[in-house]
Amino acid sequence: MEEESFDEAVMGCQGVFHTASPVLKLTLDPKTEILEPAVQGTLNVLRSCKKNSCLKRVVFTSSSSAVRVRHDFDPQIPLDESSWSSLQLCETLQVWYALSKTMAEHAAWEFCKENGIDLVTVLPSFVVGPSLPPELCSTASDALGLLKGETERFKWHGRMGYVHIDDVATSHILVYENEKAKGRYLCSSTVVDNTELVSILITRYPSLSIPKSFDQLDRPYYEFNTSKLKKLGLNFKSIEEMFDDCIASLVEQGYLEGV
């Protein structure tokens, strides 16, 4: 949130990857804890980038939630990079993460257009795979809860896109190194609803306490068109590979037993 705090880190870099965004804790105020840091933090990074004469490209990690939170799309036509989430609908539904990512990406595009910065954005869906830090991030915690039979957090996912963390990393490298890469890139392997997901996981991991089903939420059906990223050479890993690597990591870190 502090202006010029990224100057030293950015100076001299040819490429800058802005991948972090706050995640709301349920007891906190969404405006001060997630919306303002997401937007102002992004702009602070970009203001530092503007001062760097060596800069060639900025890669910004947005989210598929900046595409799919809208009610005016045809469920028979997969969503692509031309789609933007509705700020009004995000606020009405109080989906603060989606609102923050949509606002931050809009702000990034506006700033970079005004200041002549070459920007490319990557929009991952729900990220699954091995976890590097000792403390689990929110997505890894959600996955762990599901594998242990908890449903409280995961039940709100409904229909969701999933992608392997390796593919997310690779996509960032591809859009940075490929000079012809332009605009937004959806990054998602498979879209499934909760019941489909647990059916796959129960078959693969029968010893875990995975819920057998979820209540069907009144959510619109959607798929993602990821052909733009595939044209750069990315071959997405399957949902089975995502959770195999996720589970192996959780076991190794001592979060999961009985596999």
Side-chain angles (χ1 to χ4, degrees):
M1 293 295 284
E2 184 179 338
E3 279 201 53
E4 303 183 346
S5 57
F6 295 102
D7 285 4
E8 185 177 352
V10 165
M11 200 55 61
C13 293
Q14 293 185 339
V16 172
F17 296 79
H18 179 37
T19 63
S21 188
V23 177
L24 180 67
K25 297 178 181 178
L26 296 179
T27 56
L28 302 179
D29 173 57
K31 182 177 180 182
T32 58
E33 296 298 333
I34 185 169
L35 300 180
E36 290 179 1
V39 176
Q40 292 306 318
T42 296
L43 291 176
N44 278 340
V45 172
L46 294 174
R47 290 186 188 106
S48 296
C49 290
K50 181 183 176 182
K51 301 174 186 177
N52 175 16
S53 60
C54 300
L55 184 72
K56 292 184 177 180
R57 173 166 287 176
V58 174
V59 179
F60 174 75
T61 311
S62 183
S63 167
S64 67
S65 64
V67 163
R68 59 181 171 79
V69 185
R70 51 186 299 172
H71 48 62
D72 58 346
F73 65 88
D74 184 342
Q76 301 302 316
I77 302 175
L79 293 167
D80 63 16
E81 289 83 1
S82 66
S83 174
W84 283 88
S85 289
S86 162
L87 299 180
Q88 182 178 4
L89 182 59
C90 286
E91 191 160 3
T92 299
L93 298 175
Q94 298 187 349
V95 282
W96 305 118
Y97 180 76
L99 180 59
S100 73
K101 297 301 286 190
T102 307
M103 291 173 62
E105 191 184 352
H106 274 304
W109 281 115
E110 184 177 350
F111 184 93
C112 290
K113 183 178 181 179
E114 291 175 354
N115 293 279
I117 295 174
D118 183 0
L119 175 70
V120 180
T121 62
V122 178
L123 290 73
S125 53
F126 190 88
V127 182
V128 182
S131 180
L132 290 177
E135 292 188 8
L136 298 180
C137 67
S138 61
T139 50
S141 295
D142 285 2
L144 175 61
L146 177 72
L147 297 167
K148 295 175 72 172
E150 300 167 10
T151 60
E152 185 57 35
R153 284 186 294 183
F154 223 89
K155 69 182 181 181
W156 301 112
H157 289 194
R159 185 167 181 80
M160 182 73 74
Y162 294 87
V163 64
H164 197 295
I165 183 64
D166 291 356
D167 292 338
V168 178
T170 300
S171 67
H172 282 70
I173 296 169
L174 285 173
V175 302
Y176 173 70
E177 292 184 342
N178 191 318
E179 293 182 2
K180 294 181 179 180
K182 299 292 180 185
R184 310 170 85 201
Y185 286 84
L186 267 169
C187 182
S188 182
S189 170
T190 308
V191 182
V192 295
D193 64 34
N194 283 342
T195 299
E196 289 178 90
L197 175 63
V198 294
S199 177
I200 294 169
L201 295 179
I202 288 171
T203 301
R204 202 164 184 85
Y205 287 95
S207 62
L208 294 178
S209 302
I210 299 165
K212 293 183 179 180
S213 64
F214 282 83
D215 292 337
Q216 193 72 28
L217 299 177
D218 184 20
R219 301 276 180 84
Y221 177 92
Y222 68 90
E223 297 283 355
F224 287 133
N225 178 352
T226 57
S227 59
K228 188 178 177 185
L229 190 52
K230 290 176 181 176
K231 288 177 181 177
L232 293 184
L234 185 64
N235 295 311
F236 287 104
K237 294 186 177 183
S238 68
I239 200 163
E240 290 84 359
E241 290 175 288
M242 295 175 214
F243 277 91
D244 284 352
D245 290 346
C246 171
I247 290 169
S249 175
L250 292 171
V251 170
E252 183 180 355
Q253 290 179 298
Y255 287 107
L256 195 62
E257 297 178 350
V259 180

